[in-house]
Amino acid sequence: MKKLSLVLNAELEIPDDWELVEHPSGIWVLKVGDRFVDFDITPLVTESTAIDATWSDEDESFTGEILDMVTGLDSQMEITYLQ
């Protein structure tokens, strides 16, 4: 068995009224109106070798198999105000 380390970094420009809040479950999430948003990983798959291949997570069984291999996951969110 091997170990794969995956580092994802995303930046989003968001409206001023979206905010980071602590959800009652204890995690920090983005509050968008009445909804709470957290980010996670979902593996996307294709069987195509085409340049414009369509990637999806529609194969729930295979997606679940990949996600079952995740042994650790950490996320961090920070809001920085643009000038």
Side-chain angles (χ1 to χ4, degrees), residues 54-75:
T54 299
W55 295 80
S56 77
D57 62 351
E58 291 177 351
D59 185 340
E60 293 181 19
S61 176
F62 187 65
T63 298
E65 184 180 331
I66 299 296
L67 290 176
D68 286 345
M69 295 179 194
V70 175
T71 58
L73 180 65
D74 185 31
S75 66

Side-chain angles (χ1 to χ4, degrees), residues 12-78:
L12 292 76
E13 290 188 8
I14 60 173
D16 288 337
D17 61 334
W18 292 15
E19 60 185 334
L20 285 178
V21 299
E22 187 172 4
H23 186 268
S25 65
I27 64 170
W28 284 89
V29 296
L30 191 60
K31 186 159 185 340
V32 180
D34 293 333
R35 294 186 268 188
F36 300 96
V37 179
D38 190 19
F39 295 89
D40 204 343
I41 63 168
T42 301
L44 301 177
V45 178
T46 189
E47 293 179 355
S48 172
T49 59
I51 293 172
D52 60 347
T54 299
W55 295 80
S56 77
D57 62 351
E58 291 177 351
D59 185 340
E60 293 181 19
S61 176
F62 187 65
T63 298
E65 184 180 331
I66 299 296
L67 290 176
D68 286 345
M69 295 179 194
V70 175
T71 58
L73 180 65
D74 185 31
S75 66
Q76 179 179 349
M77 288 189 272
E78 175 184 353

